[in-house]
């Protein structure tokens, strides 16, 4: 069964056994513990129980997890420890886990030391940036020789300032002189941004002088409380930057020496995740002074194992069938071939626990459509081999990434098969190479057809596949309606449209088979239309009884639009092989010369790499679209909530009991 049947679990236990019972349930990893908000809203329950919880402890462990992750990130950035493309958990025994857990304090000290080193590094980076910014600020003033702290005498004020580069400093000086203001305005430097000036004037004239120079856009420079000359400050700052850079290298080297702590910190992180989750789950429990209780969900197949575990404790428990209003979690269970496509189902939405799992139904169509759109022997083999290498590296741990590469592996095989049928090996690479560099041209001929030569036939074939795909989706809808006792609704929603669509096809194209086929198609269509008008009278209520004609209009246009969507099989199939052929043509334009061979290699590598990437992405996306929009649109609602068992949700280590 694709969707696992769930049993509802209720447990009442003793407080003194709570910690041990929860630990065993976490090790078993098959029970989802539900929240208790609904019970706390019931007045009878409010009189008996209070919410359990250990939020403070959970928050403390959450902080430790965050510190451990920060330390791991530091090792990744500065310790020469590269993050793998796909994370693979290391397996350790329960006995080794207990030993490592006893060293938690040491692991914590390692994390804190790395964080401290990183803080030193960040401080050095910040100070280097500050110093470099100040150096850049001071350099335009390098020609100013007086100490910066000397800003006035008993009678004079000394001011550094800037004005726009368009300002005429000579005219500004003349204006000051014309106003009878004895002062000295000197241009020290100029760049595209501004003009750098020094201004000396008598203190008694300050108000008039500043009013005049402001008219030229003069503003005082903000150089802070620096002392000494500009040159001395620049030299001091540059020396400080060198010292800081050396300190950064020293700290980075010290972090690099800690690379051996990686395994410790990974275990430490996961250990605290487990403890945090143990603390968090208690907030879902209700308790009295001596007992606790919780509800949850258990896969029916695991109920026996859960019962055997609970029998070890002084507790009452009960398994029950889900009620009509229960929010049942969804857990998919498919065989090894269909299971990778669960990744695609979840991209859209999980089915509800009361719905049909579409995964084993659309998997075949997904692989088929991907192969048609990406149909090339060379590209298919690359995708197959690359996916297989990644799958072997990732071992057998079930992750979305592993599911993705498994479905790409099957899609690569499909692409290779369709490439043989279409006669495409990197487009026409074999013919291009033998025709350009060989004595005679050898072609890789199609076993079935060349889509470019028989485009109209291939379009009809694509739309025919679409009809089959849509009919399967409509059939699932009919199955669900019949199961719900809505047989007449199934006839109206599905079987009438089987009759209409097939009838229209036979009416238009049946004459090529026999005249009677065309006549049969005509009558099938007319009977279908009549049924679509009459059936709503018996099914619908009120105004809905008169919607037959509208249903015909919307049904015909909707189904026609859906069927035409499958023309993308032709479009992307042609794009993949046609672009590859163009690449081969461009690559062989250099002929047999040495330069031509180099040109051939470069264009082939670059061109086919880009074509592979673009069309692989296109085949993936559009194969998904045909499932999500056309196929799912016929029957699928989704909106399921994923089953989330209480288990050790570790990232780096997989703790197993001895003998397992």
């Amino acid at each position: 069964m694709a969707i696992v049947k769930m049993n509802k679990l209720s447990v009442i236990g003793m407080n003194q056994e709570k910690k041990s019972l929860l630990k065993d349930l976490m090790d078993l990893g098959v029970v989802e513990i539900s929240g208790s908000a609904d019970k706390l809203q019931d007045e009878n329950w409010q009189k008996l129980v209070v919410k359990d919880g250990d939020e403070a402890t959970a928050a403390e462990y959450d902080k430790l997890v965050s510190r451990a992750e920060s330390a791991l990130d530091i090792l990744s950035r500065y310790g020469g420890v590269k993050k793998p493309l796909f994370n693979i958990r290391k397996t350790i025994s329960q006995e080794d886990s207990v030993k490592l857990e006893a060293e938690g304090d040491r692991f914590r000290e390692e994390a804190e030391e790395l964080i401290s080193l990183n803080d030193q590094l960040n401080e050095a980076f910040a100070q280097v940036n500050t110093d470099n910014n100040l150096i850049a600020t001071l350099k335009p003033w390098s020609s100013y020789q007086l100490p910066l702290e000397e800003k006035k005498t008993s009678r004079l004020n000394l001011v550094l300032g800037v004005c726009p580069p368009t300002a005429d400093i000579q005219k500004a000086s003349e204006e000051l002189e014309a106003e009878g203001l004895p002062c000295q305005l000197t241009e020290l430097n100029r760049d595209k941004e501004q003009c750098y000036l020094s201004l000396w004037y008598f203190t008694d004239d300050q108000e008039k002088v500043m009013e005049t120079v402001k008219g030229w856009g003069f503003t005082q420079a903000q150089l802070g409380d620096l002392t000494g000359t500009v040159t001395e400050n620049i030299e001091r700052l540059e020396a400080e930057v060198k010292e800081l850079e050396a300190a950064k290298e020293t700290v980075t080297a010290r972090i690099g020496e800690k690379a051996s702590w990686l395994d410790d910190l990974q275990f430490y992180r996961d250990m605290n995740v487990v403890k945090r989750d143990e603390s968090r789950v208690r907030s879902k429990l209700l308790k009295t002074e001596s007992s606790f209780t919780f509800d949850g969900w258990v896969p029916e197949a695991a109920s026996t194992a859960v019962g055997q575990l609970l029998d070890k404790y002084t507790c009452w428990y009960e398994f029950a069938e889900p009620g009509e209003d229960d929010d049942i979690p969804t857990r998919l269970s498919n065989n090894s071939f269909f299971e990778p496509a669960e990744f695609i189902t979840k991209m859209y939405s999980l089915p509800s626990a009361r719905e049909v799992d579409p995964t084993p139904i659309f998997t075949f169509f997904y692989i088929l459509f991907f192969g048609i759109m990406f149909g090339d022997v060379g590209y298919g083999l690359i995708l197959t081999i690359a996916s297989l290498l990644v799958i072997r590296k990732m071992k057998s741990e079930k992750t979305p990434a592993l599911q993705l590469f498994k479905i790409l592996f099957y899609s690569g095989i499909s692409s290779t098969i369709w490439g043989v049928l279409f006669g495409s090996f990197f487009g026409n690479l074999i013919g291009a190479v033998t025709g350009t560099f060989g004595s005679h041209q050898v072609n890789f001929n199609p076993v079935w057809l060349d889509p470019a030569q028989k485009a109209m036939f291939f379009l009809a074939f694509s739309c025919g596949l679409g009809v089959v795909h849509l009919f399967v989706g409509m059939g699932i809808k009919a199955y669900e309606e019949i199961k719900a006792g809505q047989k007449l609704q199934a006839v109206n929603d599905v079987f009438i449209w089987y009759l209409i669509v097939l009838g229209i096809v036979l009416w238009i194209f049946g004459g090529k088979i026999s005249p009677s086929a065309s006549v049969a198609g005509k009558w099938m269509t007319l009977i279908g239309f009549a049924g679509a008008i009459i059936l709503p009278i018996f099914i619908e209520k009120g105004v809905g009884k008169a919607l037959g004609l509208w249903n015909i209009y919307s049904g015909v246009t909707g189904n026609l639009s859906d069927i035409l969507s499958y023309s993308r099989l032709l479009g992307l199939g042609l794009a993949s092989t046609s672009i590859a052929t163009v690449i081969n043509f461009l690559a062989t334009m250099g002929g047999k010369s040495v330069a031509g061979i180099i040109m051939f290699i470069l264009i082939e590598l670059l061109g086919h790499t880009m074509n592979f990437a673009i069309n692989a992405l296109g085949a993936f996306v559009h194969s998904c679209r045909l499932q999500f929009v056309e196929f799912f649109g016929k029957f699928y609602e989704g909106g399921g909530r994923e089953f989330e068992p209480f288990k050790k949700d570790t990232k780096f280590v997989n703790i197993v009991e001895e003998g397992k």
Side-chain angles (χ1 to χ4, degrees), residues 493-512:
D493 291 343
V494 177
F495 297 117
I496 284 292
W497 288 101
Y498 281 176
L499 199 64
I500 292 173
V501 172
L502 291 175
I504 291 174
V505 172
L506 284 175
W507 193 354
I508 297 174
F509 302 106
K512 296 182 179 180

Side-chain angles (χ1 to χ4, degrees), residues 275-351:
K275 291 182 176 180
R276 178 198 65 190
D277 292 346
E278 286 177 341
S279 299
R280 280 181 176 175
V281 80
R282 287 184 56 183
S283 65
K284 298 182 178 181
L285 274 56
L286 300 176
K287 68 177 182 178
T288 66
E289 291 183 1
S290 59
S291 65
F292 70 93
T293 181
F294 67 84
D295 294 328
W297 295 98
V298 181
E300 187 178 54
S303 297
T304 301
V306 174
Q308 291 173 350
L309 185 153
L310 294 174
D311 285 336
K312 299 177 184 178
Y313 294 91
T314 308
C315 68
W316 169 89
Y317 67 90
E318 179 185 55
F319 295 103
E321 291 286 330
E324 287 293 328
D325 298 328
D326 282 328
D327 181 19
I328 310 170
T330 300
R331 184 174 193 172
L332 303 181
S333 178
N334 292 289
N335 63 32
S336 58
F337 178 75
F338 296 121
E339 178 266 330
E342 292 176 5
F343 165 79
I344 297 171
T345 303
K346 292 176 182 179
M347 284 176 62
Y348 183 83
S349 177
L350 274 173

Side-chain angles (χ1 to χ4, degrees), residues 336-607:
S336 58
F337 178 75
F338 296 121
E339 178 266 330
E342 292 176 5
F343 165 79
I344 297 171
T345 303
K346 292 176 182 179
M347 284 176 62
Y348 183 83
S349 177
L350 274 173
S352 71
R354 298 180 175 88
E355 203 173 2
V356 172
D357 176 16
T359 306
I361 303 169
F362 77 74
T363 301
F364 169 77
F365 288 105
Y366 182 90
I367 295 171
L368 175 68
F369 294 157
F370 190 109
I372 293 174
M373 288 187 277
F374 199 53
D376 183 277
V377 174
Y379 294 160
L381 288 174
I382 291 175
L383 184 61
T384 302
I385 295 169
S387 300
L388 183 60
L389 292 175
V390 174
I391 291 168
R392 287 186 173 180
K393 186 175 181 180
M394 297 179 73
K395 299 179 181 179
S396 59
E397 195 162 337
K398 183 178 176 180
T399 62
L402 179 61
Q403 290 181 319
L404 169 63
F405 279 97
K406 281 185 176 180
I407 199 71
L408 290 178
F409 171 75
Y410 295 134
S411 299
I413 294 175
S414 176
S415 301
T416 303
I417 294 171
W418 282 101
V420 172
L421 295 174
F422 295 157
S424 178
F425 181 85
F426 295 106
N428 65 337
L429 180 63
I430 294 176
V433 171
T434 56
T436 304
F437 304 106
S439 57
H440 63 280
Q441 183 170 327
V442 177
N443 293 317
F444 181 56
N445 295 316
V447 173
W448 181 40
L449 62 81
D450 181 349
Q453 299 299 320
K454 296 184 178 180
M456 292 306 299
F457 174 81
F458 193 61
L459 176 61
F461 171 75
S462 300
C463 292
L465 283 178
V467 171
V468 174
H469 193 216
L470 295 173
F471 274 17
V472 171
M474 294 164 69
I476 298 171
K477 181 176 182 178
Y479 166 77
E480 290 183 330
E481 290 179 338
I482 292 171
K483 189 172 68 171
Q486 300 174 335
K487 296 180 181 179
L488 204 58
Q489 188 73 48
V491 173
N492 183 64
D493 291 343
V494 177
F495 297 117
I496 284 292
W497 288 101
Y498 281 176
L499 199 64
I500 292 173
V501 172
L502 291 175
I504 291 174
V505 172
L506 284 175
W507 193 354
I508 297 174
F509 302 106
K512 296 182 179 180
I513 302 172
S514 72
S516 59
S518 181
V519 174
K522 175 182 177 181
W523 283 107
M524 287 170 63
T525 304
L526 294 175
I527 293 171
F529 282 159
I533 294 172
I534 296 170
L535 283 175
I537 298 174
F538 300 96
I539 298 172
E540 304 294 343
K541 297 179 180 180
V543 180
K545 295 178 179 291
L547 291 179
L549 290 175
W550 170 255
N551 290 340
I552 291 174
Y553 169 76
S554 61
V556 169
T557 56
N559 282 297
L560 179 61
S561 174
D562 289 342
I563 293 170
L564 289 176
S565 292
Y566 291 83
S567 62
R568 70 189 67 241
L569 297 175
L570 167 67
L572 270 76
L574 283 174
S576 179
T577 56
S578 298
I579 294 173
T581 301
V582 172
I583 292 168
N584 296 332
F585 172 75
L586 295 174
T588 56
M589 290 179 67
K592 296 183 179 180
S593 64
V594 175
I597 294 173
I598 295 173
M599 173 182 167
F600 176 83
I601 294 172
L602 292 176
I603 292 177
E604 288 289 328
L605 288 175
L606 179 61

Side-chain angles (χ1 to χ4, degrees), residues 78-91:
Y78 304 115
V81 177
K82 294 183 178 179
K83 289 184 179 179
L85 183 60
F86 304 105
N87 186 62
I88 301 173
R89 297 192 300 172
K90 296 181 285 291
T91 300

Side-chain angles (χ1 to χ4, degrees), residues 43-110:
E43 292 183 2
N44 294 324
W45 277 99
Q46 289 176 4
K47 296 174 183 178
L48 298 173
V49 297
V50 295
K51 185 177 180 180
D52 199 350
D54 197 1
E55 284 80 5
T57 302
E60 183 61 30
Y61 282 127
D62 204 26
K63 180 180 177 182
L64 295 177
V65 170
S66 178
R67 302 291 281 182
E69 290 176 343
S70 295
L72 288 168
D73 185 58
I74 292 163
L75 280 182
S76 175
R77 283 185 287 135
Y78 304 115
V81 177
K82 294 183 178 179
K83 289 184 179 179
L85 183 60
F86 304 105
N87 186 62
I88 301 173
R89 297 192 300 172
K90 296 181 285 291
T91 300
I92 64 172
S93 67
Q94 184 71 39
E95 182 181 356
D96 289 339
S97 172
V98 173
K99 292 178 181 178
L100 288 170
E101 192 170 336
E103 299 188 61
D105 289 340
R106 177 169 66 86
F107 300 157
R108 181 173 185 171
E109 291 172 1
E110 290 175 353

Side-chain angles (χ1 to χ4, degrees), residues 67-324:
R67 302 291 281 182
E69 290 176 343
S70 295
L72 288 168
D73 185 58
I74 292 163
L75 280 182
S76 175
R77 283 185 287 135
Y78 304 115
V81 177
K82 294 183 178 179
K83 289 184 179 179
L85 183 60
F86 304 105
N87 186 62
I88 301 173
R89 297 192 300 172
K90 296 181 285 291
T91 300
I92 64 172
S93 67
Q94 184 71 39
E95 182 181 356
D96 289 339
S97 172
V98 173
K99 292 178 181 178
L100 288 170
E101 192 170 336
E103 299 188 61
D105 289 340
R106 177 169 66 86
F107 300 157
R108 181 173 185 171
E109 291 172 1
E110 290 175 353
E112 293 303 322
E113 183 174 343
L114 280 169
I115 291 171
S116 176
L117 289 171
N118 187 61
D119 289 341
Q120 295 175 33
L121 202 56
N122 288 338
E123 289 174 6
F125 272 113
Q127 191 59 50
V128 165
N129 288 335
T130 300
D131 288 353
N132 283 330
N133 288 336
L134 188 51
I135 289 171
T137 300
L138 289 172
K139 280 190 173 180
W141 306 97
S142 297
S143 61
Y144 186 68
Q145 300 299 318
L146 291 178
L148 294 173
E149 70 272 19
E150 294 185 6
K151 299 179 180 179
K152 63 171 58 180
T153 67
S154 60
R155 298 183 60 196
L156 290 175
N157 280 1
L158 313 177
V159 178
L160 295 178
V162 297
C163 67
T166 55
D168 190 329
I169 306 306
Q170 181 62 37
K171 287 185 177 180
S173 298
E174 292 174 357
E175 183 177 339
L176 289 167
E177 184 178 353
E179 293 184 8
L181 298 171
C183 57
Q184 182 66 45
L185 183 64
T186 304
E187 181 178 323
L188 302 173
N189 200 355
R190 182 188 290 266
D191 57 29
K192 294 180 180 180
E193 302 297 327
Q194 52 196 2
C195 183
Y196 303 87
L197 308 169
S198 66
L199 175 62
W200 299 18
Y201 58 87
F202 286 103
T203 304
D204 294 341
D205 297 332
Q206 178 170 338
E207 185 176 347
K208 293 182 179 180
V209 169
M210 296 309 296
E211 182 179 351
T212 301
V213 295
K214 282 182 180 179
W216 292 90
F218 181 90
T219 57
Q220 292 190 36
Q222 303 298 320
L223 299 179
D225 298 324
L226 297 175
T227 60
T229 66
V230 172
T231 301
E232 289 171 348
N233 276 280
I234 291 175
E235 291 173 352
R236 175 182 61 80
L237 290 168
E238 288 177 342
E240 185 175 308
V241 168
K242 288 182 180 179
E243 292 177 4
L244 289 169
E245 292 292 350
K248 283 164 54 180
E249 292 180 4
T250 300
V251 174
T252 302
R254 288 181 62 190
I255 294 175
E257 294 169 359
K258 316 299 182 186
S260 60
W261 291 356
L262 178 66
D263 290 343
D264 294 348
L265 293 170
Q266 288 179 340
F267 176 83
Y268 179 66
R269 181 264 180 199
D270 283 354
M271 176 187 75
N272 285 298
V273 165
V274 171
K275 291 182 176 180
R276 178 198 65 190
D277 292 346
E278 286 177 341
S279 299
R280 280 181 176 175
V281 80
R282 287 184 56 183
S283 65
K284 298 182 178 181
L285 274 56
L286 300 176
K287 68 177 182 178
T288 66
E289 291 183 1
S290 59
S291 65
F292 70 93
T293 181
F294 67 84
D295 294 328
W297 295 98
V298 181
E300 187 178 54
S303 297
T304 301
V306 174
Q308 291 173 350
L309 185 153
L310 294 174
D311 285 336
K312 299 177 184 178
Y313 294 91
T314 308
C315 68
W316 169 89
Y317 67 90
E318 179 185 55
F319 295 103
E321 291 286 330
E324 287 293 328

